[in-house]
Amino acid sequence: DQQVKQNSPSLSVQEGRISILNCDYTNSMFDYFLWYKKYPAEGPTFLISISSIKDKNEDGRFTVFLNKSAKHLSLHIVPSQPGDSAVYFCAASESGAGSYQLTFGKGTKLSVIP
Amino acid sequence: NAGVTQTPKFQVLKTGQSMTLQCAQDMNHEYMSWYRQDPGMGLRLIHYSVGAGITDQGEVPNGYNVSRSTTEDFPLRLLSAAPSQTSVYFCASSYDGTAKGYGYTFGSGTRLTVV
């Protein structure tokens, strides 16, 4: 059973517009969420994170929103740039005994069209 | 600063062969882990270690062994390779393993094909 779901395998966006990547989770014990970006033939790189005590976190062009009641988070990229074209993974962790594991979604491939 | 270094980058094995995937980090991180990435499956945790001498299983540990004799190194051993182990393997590390703050630092991966 998938605990972290990214239901859109791919997304195409025009350069300069907003990219919105979505992620849903089922495990109510998750209390920390991360987004990773991955280019081909490279390892994932950390992008931005959010704790469950917050509903928004910003870092430059990247903003993550968390809706705990809906068990949903989203990553907004504004404005989108061609260099943002990559696979984006949503990941989640929980405190306590499970805190040493990250559970990943399947990823969404973002293509930013110049 | 090298970060997390994985070797080799590519490997082809025959069914039944054994091999060790190497992972080294120079950030003095206590936590290290191995993930595999398969098409359409995301990243799944194989084994992890919270410090030298301490290892534990993740989601998909069968067919793999690990040990952690030093803080820097965390090798992953395939005892008898099977085609189902064809995958891209990523090693990751973090200061304390909680992923809070800056998440995990990943290596660039080892692409393994078992024929």
Side-chain angles (χ1 to χ4, degrees), chain B residues 1-5 25-27:
Chain B
N1 189 351
V4 178
T5 302
Q25 52 89 11
D26 61 358
M27 298 172 284

Side-chain angles (χ1 to χ4, degrees), chain A residues 31-32 34 36 38 41-46 49 87 89 93-95 97 99-107, chain B residues 31 35 37 40-43 45 48 50 57-59 90 96-108:
Chain A
D31 62 356
Y32 199 78
L34 306 92
Y36 279 84
K38 185 184 181 304
E42 295 184 11
T45 56
F46 171 75
S49 63
V87 176
F89 289 99
S93 70
E94 56 181 281
S95 299
S99 65
Y100 299 125
Q101 302 191 27
L102 280 183
T103 301
F104 285 84
K106 294 183 177 181
Chain B
Y31 175 89
Y35 285 82
Q37 185 191 10
M41 294 294 293
L43 286 87
L45 180 65
Y48 65 96
V50 298
Q57 297 181 350
E59 180 186 356
F90 291 101
D96 63 1
T98 67
K100 292 180 170 57
Y102 299 99
Y104 296 169
T105 300
F106 282 83
S108 59

Side-chain angles (χ1 to χ4, degrees), chain B residues 60-80:
Chain B
V60 288
N62 292 341
Y64 308 95
N65 272 1
V66 292
S67 60
R68 183 96 179 270
S69 57
T70 67
T71 299
E72 294 78 19
D73 300 296
F74 189 44
L76 178 72
R77 298 183 189 84
L78 282 70
L79 305 177
S80 178

Side-chain angles (χ1 to χ4, degrees), chain A residues 1-85:
Chain A
D1 181 35
Q2 231 188 324
Q3 298 186 70
V4 177
K5 301 177 184 180
Q6 294 178 257
N7 292 320
S8 297
S10 62
L11 175 68
S12 289
V13 172
Q14 207 73 27
E15 180 179 4
R17 307 295 289 266
I18 184 171
S19 295
I20 300 176
L21 294 91
N22 294 303
C23 178
D24 298 292
Y25 62 97
T26 58
N27 186 344
S28 58
M29 298 300 292
F30 287 147
D31 62 356
Y32 199 78
F33 305 89
L34 306 92
W35 285 93
Y36 279 84
K37 179 169 71 173
K38 185 184 181 304
Y39 293 119
E42 295 184 11
T45 56
F46 171 75
L47 190 59
I48 193 169
S49 63
I50 188 167
S51 165
S52 61
I53 63 173
K54 296 184 174 181
D55 55 17
K56 177 183 174 182
N57 189 27
E58 285 182 85
D59 185 1
R61 296 186 297 114
F62 303 92
T63 302
V64 56
F65 295 92
L66 175 62
N67 182 334
K68 291 186 290 294
S69 60
K71 293 190 175 66
H72 176 82
L73 64 155
S74 60
L75 174 68
H76 292 210
I77 306 173
V78 183
S80 301
Q81 299 174 354
D84 296 330
S85 297

